[in-house]
Amino acid sequence: MKNWKIPLSKPDITNNDRQEVLKVLKTNFLSLGEKYIEFEKKIAKFAGVKYAVTVNSGTSALHLIIRALGIKEGDEVITTPFSFISTSNCLLYEKAIPIFVDIDEKTFNLDVSKIEEKISSKTKAILAVDVFGRPADWQALTEIAKKHNLFLIEDSAEALGSECCGQKCGSFGDVAIFSFYPNKQITTGEGGVILTNNKELADSCRSMANQGRKTEGGKWLEHIRLGYNYRLDEMSCALGISQLSRIKEIMKKREKVVKLYNKKLKGINFIVPPELEIGKKISWFVYVIKLFGKVAEERNAIISKMEEAGIQCGSYFYPIHLQPFYKEEFHYDNGFFPITESVGKRTLALPFYNNIKESEIDFVVSNLKKITKEINA
Ligand SMILES: *Cc1c(COP(=O)(O)O)cnc(C)c1O
């Protein structure tokens, strides 16, 4: 663990958060107590869906969804190569095949105009991501899924609180997930949740998360299906409840940081800050700028120089199809998804967290200015 002067992200844990966790530690229920039920109720209400099932990570949530929908060996699922790797790994767990579709250069989300040509008789679902918190085109995705009778899955791991057409991310499609990893908008340490309006689907996920037990009335050592231990413990749920109670304030703080960065980065050549969108509410997950020209070619050198100055930077995302084991298994190579590849090379994530100070933003921006000036000279 390196001690950065300014880290890429930082959890925002308050005294109340700590107290709520401590309270659980003073009870006899560290798992399957009252807290997970309360957290599920609150997160379902927040997202505007009927059912929520907490699990121990966003990745576990995705895995259970794939199983619950009966997606199996040889089935195809349309998804994006520009995401965190679990979006597509959850398919590999069940030997289903990710069918990648390239992204839109502006939003970094799936290019919906390229989906239909990839649909085959083996296609079972579309798994779309709200990349960096920016809502995907849910109107178009819903239409395509309906027309071809496909399940629609929303990986909303990065978009807790985002909205599109007045509806919250996490409520689109048949089923969705949030993640509560420490760099997400709210955290439980590790953790995730499945969201759906479909009771059967929710029950099936709940049972699988709890070793395949019945969701009601079963005995502890009675297992009615293949299950896993994907449960989220009570301390994590207590932390989640406390964090969720501050979500409005958290989103406001993050938006303020975005606006400050956007203002301060204005006028630096070959850097394009993220756009605010009209008609959509973005709950900002990370702050990612796009580089152009010579500056883009030197992206990795810029990251090294920033890190030498004690500023941690990120390069989200390295295309999934170019990850070594994907290349090997599916014979992907450079050139398969040109926009994803181009975006993957020219994006740069700057330090971004709720309580970043303006002086810290200034330090990041002045270093970036200096480094890019040298490149352009
Ligand atoms: C964080 C993230 C996940 C996985 O969440 P974990 O809780 O870390 O397992 C999945 N998809 C996307 C897009 C993510 O950003």
Side-chain angles (χ1 to χ4, degrees):
M1 298 294 303
K2 201 170 156 169
N3 241 334
W4 299 100
K5 207 178 271 173
I6 306 181
L8 187 53
S9 81
K10 209 192 258 191
D12 173 12
I13 305 295
T14 63
N15 273 333
N16 190 62
D17 291 344
R18 281 183 276 268
Q19 298 246 310
E20 289 302 313
V21 175
L22 265 177
K23 271 195 221 158
V24 172
L25 286 168
K26 289 176 183 163
T27 72
N28 293 328
F29 296 95
L30 307 189
S31 181
L32 295 173
E34 295 170 344
K35 288 295 169 188
Y36 85 98
I37 297 169
E38 183 184 344
F39 189 32
E40 287 176 354
K41 268 196 191 137
K42 288 187 166 158
I43 198 99
K45 184 166 178 222
F46 177 79
V49 299
K50 283 192 192 144
Y51 308 103
V53 178
T54 50
V55 287
N56 58 8
S57 76
T59 306
S60 306
L62 286 167
H63 181 207
L64 292 187
I65 287 171
I66 298 307
R67 282 195 68 88
L69 293 176
I71 294 169
K72 55 181 193 313
E73 183 161 6
D75 287 347
E76 296 180 355
V77 175
I78 306 263
T79 190
T80 170
F82 191 74
S83 183
F84 183 62
I85 197 155
S86 15
T87 306
S88 140
N89 275 355
C90 67
L91 305 171
L92 304 198
Y93 299 152
E94 297 302 321
K95 299 193 164 58
I97 303 162
I99 302 294
F100 293 123
V101 167
D102 213 347
I103 57 168
D104 178 283
E105 185 148 22
K106 252 182 97 174
T107 64
F108 304 158
N109 282 320
L110 271 179
D111 181 344
V112 291
S113 73
K114 292 180 181 156
I115 291 179
E116 284 193 289
E117 64 199 59
K118 294 288 190 83
I119 295 175
S120 80
S121 59
K122 291 183 188 157
T123 312
K124 290 284 149 51
I126 301 173
L127 200 185
V129 181
D130 301 305
V131 176
F132 303 152
R134 195 179 294 272
D137 186 348
W138 289 106
Q139 212 169 347
L141 289 165
T142 306
E143 275 169 30
I144 297 168
K146 229 185 212 159
K147 181 171 159 200
H148 296 273
N149 198 21
L150 304 173
F151 294 121
L152 186 54
I153 307 166
E154 179 177 13
D155 180 347
S156 192
E158 304 182 350
L160 180 85
S162 294
E163 281 177 33
C164 157
C165 331
Q167 194 180 329
K168 285 253 167 52
C169 285
S171 70
F172 296 101
D174 296 284
V175 57
I177 72 141
F178 292 135
S179 158
F180 307 123
Y181 186 72
N183 72 342
K184 302 278 154 70
Q185 286 89 338
I186 71 165
T187 187
T188 58
E190 299 286 356
V193 69
I194 297 156
L195 304 147
T196 182
N197 287 314
N198 179 332
K199 176 153 198 311
E200 220 176 304
L201 198 63
D203 281 349
S204 156
C205 288
R206 184 179 302 290
S207 167
M208 283 191 285
N210 187 20
Q211 306 281 17
R213 294 184 174 100
K214 283 186 183 168
T215 51
E216 267 173 72
K219 296 196 189 82
W220 185 247
L221 292 179
E222 182 188 9
H223 309 274
I224 56 169
R225 52 162 68 82
L226 176 64
Y228 308 84
N229 181 357
Y230 284 175
R231 293 180 306 254
L232 189 62
D233 65 76
E234 289 285 291
M235 291 75 81
S236 301
C237 290
L239 180 55
I241 293 164
S242 181
Q243 290 251 308
L244 185 63
S245 73
R246 288 191 291 126
I247 183 67
K248 271 198 187 143
E249 172 203 327
I250 289 171
M251 283 171 60
K252 249 189 222 148
K253 279 185 175 177
R254 295 172 90 85
E255 188 174 60
K256 204 172 134 203
V257 176
V258 168
K259 287 184 172 161
L260 259 178
Y261 261 129
N262 278 11
K263 196 172 93 190
K264 291 175 191 284
L265 286 171
K266 216 175 256 169
I268 304 188
N269 284 337
F270 302 108
I271 284 182
V272 176
E275 263 181 62
L276 310 168
E277 268 192 72
I278 301 159
K280 289 183 183 174
K281 193 193 267 169
I282 301 176
S283 169
W284 295 91
F285 166 51
V286 282
Y287 185 79
V288 174
I289 57 174
K290 237 186 288 185
L291 312 177
F292 286 89
K294 251 206 283 187
V295 172
E297 282 164 35
E298 297 296 324
R299 197 267 315 256
N300 293 343
I302 294 172
I303 294 179
S304 304
K305 282 189 184 153
M306 292 288 277
E307 298 201 336
E308 273 166 37
I311 303 163
Q312 189 185 20
C313 291
S315 50
Y316 306 128
F317 283 111
Y318 189 84
I320 295 176
H321 68 284
L322 297 180
Q323 295 288 353
F325 74 105
Y326 275 81
K327 273 172 97 168
E328 202 177 297
E329 181 155 350
F330 298 102
H331 310 290
Y332 286 123
D333 215 331
N334 286 305
F336 274 64
F337 304 100
I339 308 219
T340 295
E341 291 165 24
S342 155
V343 169
K345 277 187 214 151
R346 60 174 71 238
T347 40
L348 177 63
L350 298 177
F352 185 68
Y353 39 93
N354 298 351
N355 297 319
I356 190 167
K357 296 193 200 94
E358 185 162 356
S359 60
E360 293 176 313
I361 295 177
D362 286 337
F363 185 70
V364 172
V365 171
S366 69
N367 273 278
L368 191 63
K369 255 185 197 158
K370 198 176 80 197
I371 294 165
T372 55
K373 208 170 183 182
E374 281 164 15
I375 292 168
N376 285 320

